[in-house]
Amino acid sequence: MTEKKDCGHEGGQASPRLIFIAIAAFIALVLFVIFVIWLVLMPKKPQFLLQDATIYNFNVTPPNLLTTNIQVTISSRNPNGRIGAFYDKLDIHASYRDQQVTLVTEIPRTYEGHKDVAIWSPFLYGNSVPIAPYLAGSLIQDQNAGIILLSVKIYGKVKWKVGIWSSSWYRINVNCPAYISINDRTKSVVVGSAMKFQIVQSCNVDVSN
């Protein structure tokens, strides 16, 4: 007796498997090419700029309570020519001598294309925020001297996009020093009941895993 081999049955099982392997290999090749491009390009971190600050209220009242109402204009530039940048969960607040003096304001999720610039103008509020007694004294001295140094800080996530591939999320921390010369009328303009101060100050940007 001779043994019959069902070649058609074996071929029917091998064909889908080969197709799957070919598709998987193609996807792996595409991802590898994108990854190599990523390594070659090595994305540069975004560039943030604090452009101006409009002060509606910034006042210390007893006992050591600070009320703040400020609108800031901040721009972000993606310096990469072939890599896009996604921002998510960006929170911004103001601090004075390392103490947070406003509530956190959320910046909308943003995508920046190649060499693109995004501009945000959030309001920063703080109503009767308790501050340390020595900070209240320092702030009054700064106001009398005519210059106040605030820090506008942004925390959130960023990821990069090359073609169809996106990286994992990275932490981004931005610190923008705001030197406000309240007595220098050449750098300020009256806006209703507020004063708008031109700052144009580069921010420190840190991107980490």
Side-chain angles (χ1 to χ4, degrees):
M1 297 179 65
T2 59
E3 183 179 354
K4 296 182 179 180
K5 296 183 179 180
D6 192 354
C7 297
H9 179 69
E10 292 181 359
Q13 288 185 342
S15 180
R17 183 181 179 186
L18 289 176
I19 293 175
F20 173 78
I21 293 175
I23 293 175
F26 175 76
I27 294 174
L29 178 61
V30 171
L31 293 177
F32 176 75
V33 170
I34 293 175
F35 179 69
V36 170
I37 295 174
W38 162 267
L39 292 178
V40 172
L41 296 177
M42 286 306 293
K44 300 175 183 177
K45 60 186 180 182
Q47 300 165 345
F48 280 71
L49 184 71
L50 176 60
Q51 298 182 356
D52 58 58
T54 303
I55 299 180
Y56 294 88
N57 194 359
F58 192 73
N59 189 34
V60 180
T61 56
N64 307 316
L65 300 176
L66 177 61
T67 296
T68 305
N69 183 357
I70 300 176
Q71 184 181 22
V72 296
T73 301
I74 293 181
S75 64
S76 168
R77 179 179 181 270
N78 175 14
N80 300 287
R82 295 180 177 84
I83 301 175
F86 278 109
Y87 300 105
D88 192 24
K89 299 185 184 301
L90 291 181
D91 292 331
I92 181 172
H93 72 265
S95 65
Y96 175 73
R97 301 203 177 191
D98 294 327
Q99 179 174 339
Q100 183 175 337
V101 295
T102 69
L103 297 173
V104 169
T105 299
E106 184 176 347
I107 295 176
R109 185 173 183 176
T110 304
Y111 172 73
E112 282 182 348
H114 314 151
K115 302 286 187 178
D116 273 357
V117 175
I119 299 177
W120 306 290
S121 297
F123 281 88
L124 307 179
Y125 299 98
N127 187 24
S128 297
V129 177
I131 59 176
Y134 77 92
L135 287 180
S138 298
L139 182 53
I140 293 174
Q141 290 178 358
D142 291 347
Q143 289 176 324
N144 292 335
I147 186 167
I148 300 173
L149 173 57
L150 294 176
S151 294
V152 178
K153 298 184 178 182
I154 303 173
Y155 304 92
K157 301 190 299 182
V158 63
K159 69 177 178 179
W160 314 106
K161 186 175 185 298
V162 181
I164 62 173
W165 179 83
S166 295
S167 72
S168 58
W169 289 104
Y170 291 82
R171 290 191 298 269
I172 182 169
N173 298 324
V174 182
N175 185 13
C176 306
Y179 296 92
I180 302 175
S181 301
I182 57 179
N183 293 333
D184 188 354
R185 299 307 179 188
T186 64
K187 296 182 179 179
S188 63
V189 61
V190 177
V191 181
S193 61
M195 291 293 296
K196 184 174 183 178
F197 297 89
Q198 297 296 325
I199 298 175
V200 192
Q201 174 67 48
S202 297
C203 306
N204 299 317
V205 181
D206 179 64
V207 178
S208 59
N209 292 324

mmCIF file of all heavy atoms in Angstrom, residues 4-46:
data_model
loop_
_atom_site.group_PDB
_atom_site.id
_atom_site.type_symbol
_atom_site.label_atom_id
_atom_site.label_comp_id
_atom_site.label_asym_id
_atom_site.label_seq_id
_atom_site.Cartn_x
_atom_site.Cartn_y
_atom_site.Cartn_z
ATOM 1 N N LYS A 4 -0.664 8.224 0.954
ATOM 2 C CA LYS A 4 -1.044 9.424 0.220
ATOM 3 C C LYS A 4 -0.734 10.655 1.056
ATOM 4 O O LYS A 4 -1.007 10.681 2.249
ATOM 5 C CB LYS A 4 -2.530 9.400 -0.140
ATOM 6 C CG LYS A 4 -2.908 8.285 -1.083
ATOM 7 C CD LYS A 4 -4.377 8.362 -1.440
ATOM 8 C CE LYS A 4 -4.760 7.261 -2.407
ATOM 9 N NZ LYS A 4 -6.191 7.324 -2.757
ATOM 10 N N LYS A 5 -0.181 11.640 0.429
ATOM 11 C CA LYS A 5 0.121 12.910 1.080
ATOM 12 C C LYS A 5 -0.845 13.988 0.610
ATOM 13 O O LYS A 5 -1.021 14.177 -0.577
ATOM 14 C CB LYS A 5 1.561 13.346 0.781
ATOM 15 C CG LYS A 5 2.596 12.392 1.337
ATOM 16 C CD LYS A 5 3.992 12.918 1.078
ATOM 17 C CE LYS A 5 5.052 11.999 1.644
ATOM 18 N NZ LYS A 5 6.414 12.502 1.399
ATOM 19 N N ASP A 6 -1.428 14.641 1.560
ATOM 20 C CA ASP A 6 -2.382 15.716 1.238
ATOM 21 C C ASP A 6 -1.620 17.028 1.088
ATOM 22 O O ASP A 6 -1.572 17.850 1.997
ATOM 23 C CB ASP A 6 -3.420 15.822 2.357
ATOM 24 C CG ASP A 6 -4.587 16.712 1.929
ATOM 25 O OD1 ASP A 6 -4.493 17.291 0.841
ATOM 26 O OD2 ASP A 6 -5.559 16.809 2.702
ATOM 27 N N CYS A 7 -0.974 17.177 -0.067
ATOM 28 C CA CYS A 7 -0.141 18.357 -0.295
ATOM 29 C C CYS A 7 -0.969 19.619 -0.327
ATOM 30 O O CYS A 7 -0.537 20.684 0.119
ATOM 31 C CB CYS A 7 0.637 18.219 -1.612
ATOM 32 S SG CYS A 7 1.797 16.827 -1.588
ATOM 33 N N GLY A 8 -2.189 19.513 -0.851
ATOM 34 C CA GLY A 8 -3.022 20.702 -0.932
ATOM 35 C C GLY A 8 -3.380 21.227 0.445
ATOM 36 O O GLY A 8 -3.402 22.427 0.674
ATOM 37 N N HIS A 9 -3.608 20.277 1.408
ATOM 38 C CA HIS A 9 -3.965 20.718 2.760
ATOM 39 C C HIS A 9 -2.805 21.428 3.431
ATOM 40 O O HIS A 9 -2.966 22.460 4.063
ATOM 41 C CB HIS A 9 -4.412 19.491 3.571
ATOM 42 C CG HIS A 9 -4.781 19.819 4.986
ATOM 43 N ND1 HIS A 9 -5.894 20.555 5.289
ATOM 44 C CD2 HIS A 9 -4.163 19.517 6.169
ATOM 45 C CE1 HIS A 9 -5.984 20.697 6.601
ATOM 46 N NE2 HIS A 9 -4.935 20.067 7.165
ATOM 47 N N GLU A 10 -1.584 20.855 3.282
ATOM 48 C CA GLU A 10 -0.401 21.479 3.877
ATOM 49 C C GLU A 10 -0.128 22.839 3.259
ATOM 50 O O GLU A 10 0.210 23.797 3.939
ATOM 51 C CB GLU A 10 0.813 20.567 3.723
ATOM 52 C CG GLU A 10 0.699 19.299 4.567
ATOM 53 C CD GLU A 10 1.936 18.427 4.420
ATOM 54 O OE1 GLU A 10 2.821 18.842 3.649
ATOM 55 O OE2 GLU A 10 2.016 17.370 5.045
ATOM 56 N N GLY A 11 -0.301 22.918 1.936
ATOM 57 C CA GLY A 11 -0.071 24.197 1.270
ATOM 58 C C GLY A 11 -1.060 25.253 1.711
ATOM 59 O O GLY A 11 -0.725 26.413 1.863
ATOM 60 N N GLY A 12 -2.322 24.843 1.992
ATOM 61 C CA GLY A 12 -3.329 25.792 2.422
ATOM 62 C C GLY A 12 -3.016 26.382 3.779
ATOM 63 O O GLY A 12 -3.360 27.516 4.063
ATOM 64 N N GLN A 13 -2.357 25.618 4.680
ATOM 65 C CA GLN A 13 -1.986 26.135 5.985
ATOM 66 C C GLN A 13 -0.734 26.993 5.910
ATOM 67 O O GLN A 13 -0.600 27.946 6.649
ATOM 68 C CB GLN A 13 -1.749 24.978 6.960
ATOM 69 C CG GLN A 13 -3.028 24.278 7.378
ATOM 70 C CD GLN A 13 -2.760 23.215 8.427
ATOM 71 O OE1 GLN A 13 -1.633 22.779 8.586
ATOM 72 N NE2 GLN A 13 -3.817 22.789 9.113
ATOM 73 N N ALA A 14 0.188 26.679 5.036
ATOM 74 C CA ALA A 14 1.458 27.405 4.949
ATOM 75 C C ALA A 14 1.268 28.790 4.339
ATOM 76 O O ALA A 14 1.927 29.740 4.730
ATOM 77 C CB ALA A 14 2.463 26.604 4.135
ATOM 78 N N SER A 15 0.348 28.924 3.387
ATOM 79 C CA SER A 15 0.198 30.188 2.685
ATOM 80 C C SER A 15 -0.202 31.353 3.599
ATOM 81 O O SER A 15 0.457 32.383 3.580
ATOM 82 C CB SER A 15 -0.825 30.021 1.548
ATOM 83 O OG SER A 15 -0.987 31.237 0.861
ATOM 84 N N PRO A 16 -1.242 31.231 4.458
ATOM 85 C CA PRO A 16 -1.550 32.350 5.362
ATOM 86 C C PRO A 16 -0.409 32.664 6.321
ATOM 87 O O PRO A 16 -0.179 33.824 6.684
ATOM 88 C CB PRO A 16 -2.789 31.858 6.116
ATOM 89 C CG PRO A 16 -3.394 30.834 5.235
ATOM 90 C CD PRO A 16 -2.239 30.170 4.561
ATOM 91 N N ARG A 17 0.285 31.614 6.750
ATOM 92 C CA ARG A 17 1.414 31.831 7.661
ATOM 93 C C ARG A 17 2.516 32.631 6.989
ATOM 94 O O ARG A 17 3.084 33.555 7.576
ATOM 95 C CB ARG A 17 1.944 30.498 8.141
ATOM 96 C CG ARG A 17 3.072 30.607 9.158
ATOM 97 C CD ARG A 17 3.560 29.254 9.571
ATOM 98 N NE ARG A 17 4.661 29.373 10.531
ATOM 99 C CZ ARG A 17 5.367 28.358 10.995
ATOM 100 N NH1 ARG A 17 5.062 27.117 10.590
ATOM 101 N NH2 ARG A 17 6.349 28.553 11.853
ATOM 102 N N LEU A 18 2.805 32.298 5.742
ATOM 103 C CA LEU A 18 3.837 33.040 5.014
ATOM 104 C C LEU A 18 3.413 34.487 4.797
ATOM 105 O O LEU A 18 4.227 35.416 4.887
ATOM 106 C CB LEU A 18 4.117 32.355 3.668
ATOM 107 C CG LEU A 18 4.850 31.012 3.736
ATOM 108 C CD1 LEU A 18 4.972 30.413 2.348
ATOM 109 C CD2 LEU A 18 6.229 31.190 4.362
ATOM 110 N N ILE A 19 2.121 34.703 4.505
ATOM 111 C CA ILE A 19 1.617 36.071 4.324
ATOM 112 C C ILE A 19 1.776 36.864 5.614
ATOM 113 O O ILE A 19 2.207 38.018 5.616
ATOM 114 C CB ILE A 19 0.153 36.042 3.864
ATOM 115 C CG1 ILE A 19 0.053 35.438 2.447
ATOM 116 C CG2 ILE A 19 -0.448 37.447 3.884
ATOM 117 C CD1 ILE A 19 -1.362 35.252 1.969
ATOM 118 N N PHE A 20 1.410 36.239 6.738
ATOM 119 C CA PHE A 20 1.536 36.911 8.041
ATOM 120 C C PHE A 20 2.989 37.272 8.330
ATOM 121 O O PHE A 20 3.290 38.380 8.784
ATOM 122 C CB PHE A 20 0.981 36.004 9.137
ATOM 123 C CG PHE A 20 1.213 36.536 10.516
ATOM 124 C CD1 PHE A 20 0.412 37.548 11.032
ATOM 125 C CD2 PHE A 20 2.247 36.038 11.301
ATOM 126 C CE1 PHE A 20 0.629 38.046 12.297
ATOM 127 C CE2 PHE A 20 2.476 36.532 12.570
ATOM 128 C CZ PHE A 20 1.661 37.536 13.073
ATOM 129 N N ILE A 21 3.903 36.320 8.060
ATOM 130 C CA ILE A 21 5.327 36.576 8.291
ATOM 131 C C ILE A 21 5.823 37.715 7.411
ATOM 132 O O ILE A 21 6.585 38.588 7.851
ATOM 133 C CB ILE A 21 6.152 35.293 8.046
ATOM 134 C CG1 ILE A 21 5.813 34.236 9.107
ATOM 135 C CG2 ILE A 21 7.645 35.596 8.063
ATOM 136 C CD1 ILE A 21 6.482 32.895 8.864
ATOM 137 N N ALA A 22 5.371 37.743 6.163
ATOM 138 C CA ALA A 22 5.800 38.799 5.235
ATOM 139 C C ALA A 22 5.307 40.165 5.702
ATOM 140 O O ALA A 22 6.053 41.150 5.686
ATOM 141 C CB ALA A 22 5.284 38.494 3.828
ATOM 142 N N ILE A 23 4.028 40.220 6.142
ATOM 143 C CA ILE A 23 3.485 41.498 6.623
ATOM 144 C C ILE A 23 4.216 41.949 7.874
ATOM 145 O O ILE A 23 4.576 43.123 8.016
ATOM 146 C CB ILE A 23 1.972 41.366 6.892
ATOM 147 C CG1 ILE A 23 1.222 41.137 5.573
ATOM 148 C CG2 ILE A 23 1.441 42.607 7.602
ATOM 149 C CD1 ILE A 23 -0.260 40.869 5.755
ATOM 150 N N ALA A 24 4.450 41.010 8.810
ATOM 151 C CA ALA A 24 5.153 41.351 10.046
ATOM 152 C C ALA A 24 6.568 41.838 9.752
ATOM 153 O O ALA A 24 7.060 42.793 10.366
ATOM 154 C CB ALA A 24 5.180 40.148 10.984
ATOM 155 N N ALA A 25 7.228 41.183 8.792
ATOM 156 C CA ALA A 25 8.587 41.594 8.438
ATOM 157 C C ALA A 25 8.596 42.985 7.814
ATOM 158 O O ALA A 25 9.490 43.799 8.096
ATOM 159 C CB ALA A 25 9.197 40.572 7.473
ATOM 160 N N PHE A 26 7.586 43.271 6.988
ATOM 161 C CA PHE A 26 7.505 44.587 6.363
ATOM 162 C C PHE A 26 7.284 45.673 7.420
ATOM 163 O O PHE A 26 7.928 46.720 7.382
ATOM 164 C CB PHE A 26 6.364 44.604 5.334
ATOM 165 C CG PHE A 26 6.125 45.956 4.729
ATOM 166 C CD1 PHE A 26 6.984 46.455 3.766
ATOM 167 C CD2 PHE A 26 5.043 46.732 5.136
ATOM 168 C CE1 PHE A 26 6.771 47.709 3.207
ATOM 169 C CE2 PHE A 26 4.821 47.972 4.582
ATOM 170 C CZ PHE A 26 5.696 48.459 3.608
ATOM 171 N N ILE A 27 6.355 45.421 8.354
ATOM 172 C CA ILE A 27 6.102 46.396 9.419
ATOM 173 C C ILE A 27 7.352 46.602 10.271
ATOM 174 O O ILE A 27 7.711 47.732 10.615
ATOM 175 C CB ILE A 27 4.921 45.934 10.294
ATOM 176 C CG1 ILE A 27 3.631 45.944 9.478
ATOM 177 C CG2 ILE A 27 4.773 46.821 11.536
ATOM 178 C CD1 ILE A 27 2.428 45.374 10.215
ATOM 179 N N ALA A 28 8.024 45.507 10.595
ATOM 180 C CA ALA A 28 9.251 45.609 11.390
ATOM 181 C C ALA A 28 10.318 46.413 10.647
ATOM 182 O O ALA A 28 11.042 47.218 11.253
ATOM 183 C CB ALA A 28 9.782 44.225 11.728
ATOM 184 N N LEU A 29 10.401 46.214 9.324
ATOM 185 C CA LEU A 29 11.378 46.951 8.523
ATOM 186 C C LEU A 29 11.059 48.441 8.521
ATOM 187 O O LEU A 29 11.954 49.283 8.673
ATOM 188 C CB LEU A 29 11.395 46.411 7.096
ATOM 189 C CG LEU A 29 12.353 47.116 6.118
ATOM 190 C CD1 LEU A 29 13.794 46.988 6.603
ATOM 191 C CD2 LEU A 29 12.200 46.554 4.712
ATOM 192 N N VAL A 30 9.771 48.777 8.350
ATOM 193 C CA VAL A 30 9.362 50.184 8.353
ATOM 194 C C VAL A 30 9.690 50.833 9.696
ATOM 195 O O VAL A 30 10.247 51.937 9.764
ATOM 196 C CB VAL A 30 7.864 50.321 8.040
ATOM 197 C CG1 VAL A 30 7.388 51.762 8.262
ATOM 198 C CG2 VAL A 30 7.583 49.901 6.600
ATOM 199 N N LEU A 31 9.353 50.141 10.785
ATOM 200 C CA LEU A 31 9.638 50.680 12.116
ATOM 201 C C LEU A 31 11.138 50.819 12.348
ATOM 202 O O LEU A 31 11.593 51.781 12.976
ATOM 203 C CB LEU A 31 9.012 49.782 13.186
ATOM 204 C CG LEU A 31 7.478 49.750 13.221
ATOM 205 C CD1 LEU A 31 6.992 48.765 14.272
ATOM 206 C CD2 LEU A 31 6.914 51.138 13.492
ATOM 207 N N PHE A 32 11.896 49.874 11.843
ATOM 208 C CA PHE A 32 13.353 49.946 11.995
ATOM 209 C C PHE A 32 13.919 51.143 11.239
ATOM 210 O O PHE A 32 14.790 51.862 11.755
ATOM 211 C CB PHE A 32 13.999 48.655 11.489
ATOM 212 C CG PHE A 32 15.506 48.678 11.527
ATOM 213 C CD1 PHE A 32 16.180 48.540 12.731
ATOM 214 C CD2 PHE A 32 16.246 48.852 10.365
ATOM 215 C CE1 PHE A 32 17.566 48.570 12.777
ATOM 216 C CE2 PHE A 32 17.625 48.882 10.400
ATOM 217 C CZ PHE A 32 18.286 48.736 11.607
ATOM 218 N N VAL A 33 13.413 51.373 10.022
ATOM 219 C CA VAL A 33 13.887 52.513 9.237
ATOM 220 C C VAL A 33 13.554 53.817 9.948
ATOM 221 O O VAL A 33 14.384 54.729 10.038
ATOM 222 C CB VAL A 33 13.264 52.487 7.815
ATOM 223 C CG1 VAL A 33 13.562 53.794 7.081
ATOM 224 C CG2 VAL A 33 13.807 51.299 7.030
ATOM 225 N N ILE A 34 12.318 53.906 10.483
ATOM 226 C CA ILE A 34 11.927 55.113 11.206
ATOM 227 C C ILE A 34 12.790 55.303 12.448
ATOM 228 O O ILE A 34 13.200 56.416 12.778
ATOM 229 C CB ILE A 34 10.433 55.044 11.586
ATOM 230 C CG1 ILE A 34 9.572 55.094 10.323
ATOM 231 C CG2 ILE A 34 10.048 56.184 12.528
ATOM 232 C CD1 ILE A 34 8.097 54.912 10.580
ATOM 233 N N PHE A 35 13.091 54.199 13.131
ATOM 234 C CA PHE A 35 13.930 54.277 14.328
ATOM 235 C C PHE A 35 15.335 54.746 13.976
ATOM 236 O O PHE A 35 15.938 55.556 14.696
ATOM 237 C CB PHE A 35 13.985 52.916 15.015
ATOM 238 C CG PHE A 35 14.839 52.890 16.248
ATOM 239 C CD1 PHE A 35 14.450 53.577 17.390
ATOM 240 C CD2 PHE A 35 16.033 52.187 16.267
ATOM 241 C CE1 PHE A 35 15.226 53.563 18.526
ATOM 242 C CE2 PHE A 35 16.820 52.159 17.402
ATOM 243 C CZ PHE A 35 16.419 52.856 18.541
ATOM 244 N N VAL A 36 15.857 54.266 12.852
ATOM 245 C CA VAL A 36 17.191 54.710 12.414
ATOM 246 C C VAL A 36 17.166 56.203 12.091
ATOM 247 O O VAL A 36 18.078 56.949 12.466
ATOM 248 C CB VAL A 36 17.660 53.895 11.187
ATOM 249 C CG1 VAL A 36 18.925 54.501 10.586
ATOM 250 C CG2 VAL A 36 17.918 52.449 11.586
ATOM 251 N N ILE A 37 16.099 56.640 11.411
ATOM 252 C CA ILE A 37 15.960 58.072 11.118
ATOM 253 C C ILE A 37 15.911 58.866 12.419
ATOM 254 O O ILE A 37 16.524 59.925 12.546
ATOM 255 C CB ILE A 37 14.696 58.326 10.273
ATOM 256 C CG1 ILE A 37 14.843 57.667 8.892
ATOM 257 C CG2 ILE A 37 14.437 59.822 10.118
ATOM 258 C CD1 ILE A 37 13.592 57.747 8.039
ATOM 259 N N TRP A 38 15.178 58.320 13.389
ATOM 260 C CA TRP A 38 15.079 58.970 14.713
ATOM 261 C C TRP A 38 16.457 59.130 15.342
ATOM 262 O O TRP A 38 16.811 60.177 15.865
ATOM 263 C CB TRP A 38 14.160 58.131 15.584
ATOM 264 C CG TRP A 38 14.254 58.378 17.055
ATOM 265 C CD1 TRP A 38 15.022 57.712 17.950
ATOM 266 C CD2 TRP A 38 13.550 59.370 17.802
ATOM 267 N NE1 TRP A 38 14.833 58.202 19.205
ATOM 268 C CE2 TRP A 38 13.934 59.218 19.152
ATOM 269 C CE3 TRP A 38 12.622 60.351 17.479
ATOM 270 C CZ2 TRP A 38 13.432 60.034 20.163
ATOM 271 C CZ3 TRP A 38 12.120 61.148 18.490
ATOM 272 C CH2 TRP A 38 12.519 60.986 19.793
ATOM 273 N N LEU A 39 17.265 58.068 15.278
ATOM 274 C CA LEU A 39 18.601 58.128 15.859
ATOM 275 C C LEU A 39 19.483 59.129 15.126
ATOM 276 O O LEU A 39 20.298 59.832 15.738
ATOM 277 C CB LEU A 39 19.251 56.736 15.838
ATOM 278 C CG LEU A 39 18.639 55.678 16.760
ATOM 279 C CD1 LEU A 39 19.355 54.355 16.591
ATOM 280 C CD2 LEU A 39 18.698 56.128 18.219
ATOM 281 N N VAL A 40 19.316 59.194 13.810
ATOM 282 C CA VAL A 40 20.141 60.118 13.021
ATOM 283 C C VAL A 40 19.736 61.562 13.310
ATOM 284 O O VAL A 40 20.578 62.447 13.485
ATOM 285 C CB VAL A 40 19.998 59.811 11.508
ATOM 286 C CG1 VAL A 40 20.686 60.888 10.684
ATOM 287 C CG2 VAL A 40 20.605 58.445 11.204
ATOM 288 N N LEU A 41 18.426 61.802 13.390
ATOM 289 C CA LEU A 41 17.953 63.169 13.570
ATOM 290 C C LEU A 41 18.140 63.659 15.011
ATOM 291 O O LEU A 41 18.455 64.823 15.239
ATOM 292 C CB LEU A 41 16.471 63.258 13.192
ATOM 293 C CG LEU A 41 16.126 62.979 11.728
ATOM 294 C CD1 LEU A 41 14.622 63.038 11.531
ATOM 295 C CD2 LEU A 41 16.813 63.987 10.812
ATOM 296 N N MET A 42 17.924 62.772 15.992
ATOM 297 C CA MET A 42 18.037 63.124 17.414
ATOM 298 C C MET A 42 17.333 64.453 17.709
ATOM 299 O O MET A 42 17.939 65.525 17.613
ATOM 300 C CB MET A 42 19.497 63.201 17.839
ATOM 301 C CG MET A 42 20.151 61.841 17.972
ATOM 302 S SD MET A 42 19.269 60.696 19.046
ATOM 303 C CE MET A 42 19.493 61.500 20.628
ATOM 304 N N PRO A 43 16.055 64.399 18.052
ATOM 305 C CA PRO A 43 15.269 65.630 18.197
ATOM 306 C C PRO A 43 15.840 66.595 19.229
ATOM 307 O O PRO A 43 16.305 66.196 20.293
ATOM 308 C CB PRO A 43 13.889 65.112 18.643
ATOM 309 C CG PRO A 43 14.164 63.767 19.235
ATOM 310 C CD PRO A 43 15.286 63.201 18.433
ATOM 311 N N LYS A 44 15.789 67.872 18.876
ATOM 312 C CA LYS A 44 16.198 68.918 19.812
ATOM 313 C C LYS A 44 15.003 69.299 20.671
ATOM 314 O O LYS A 44 13.864 69.263 20.225
ATOM 315 C CB LYS A 44 16.702 70.141 19.040
ATOM 316 C CG LYS A 44 17.896 69.859 18.144
ATOM 317 C CD LYS A 44 18.254 71.082 17.328
ATOM 318 C CE LYS A 44 19.401 70.797 16.363
ATOM 319 N NZ LYS A 44 19.709 71.978 15.505
ATOM 320 N N LYS A 45 15.266 69.669 21.914
ATOM 321 C CA LYS A 45 14.175 70.024 22.814
ATOM 322 C C LYS A 45 13.541 71.343 22.381
ATOM 323 O O LYS A 45 14.191 72.205 21.779
ATOM 324 C CB LYS A 45 14.661 70.102 24.260
ATOM 325 C CG LYS A 45 15.740 71.123 24.519
ATOM 326 C CD LYS A 45 16.229 70.991 25.957
ATOM 327 C CE LYS A 45 17.332 71.998 26.267
ATOM 328 N NZ LYS A 45 17.831 71.839 27.656
ATOM 329 N N PRO A 46 12.250 71.531 22.697
ATOM 330 C CA PRO A 46 11.540 72.750 22.300
ATOM 331 C C PRO A 46 12.155 73.990 22.937
ATOM 332 O O PRO A 46 12.826 73.921 23.972
ATOM 333 C CB PRO A 46 10.114 72.512 22.805
ATOM 334 C CG PRO A 46 10.012 71.044 23.038
ATOM 335 C CD PRO A 46 11.381 70.588 23.402
#
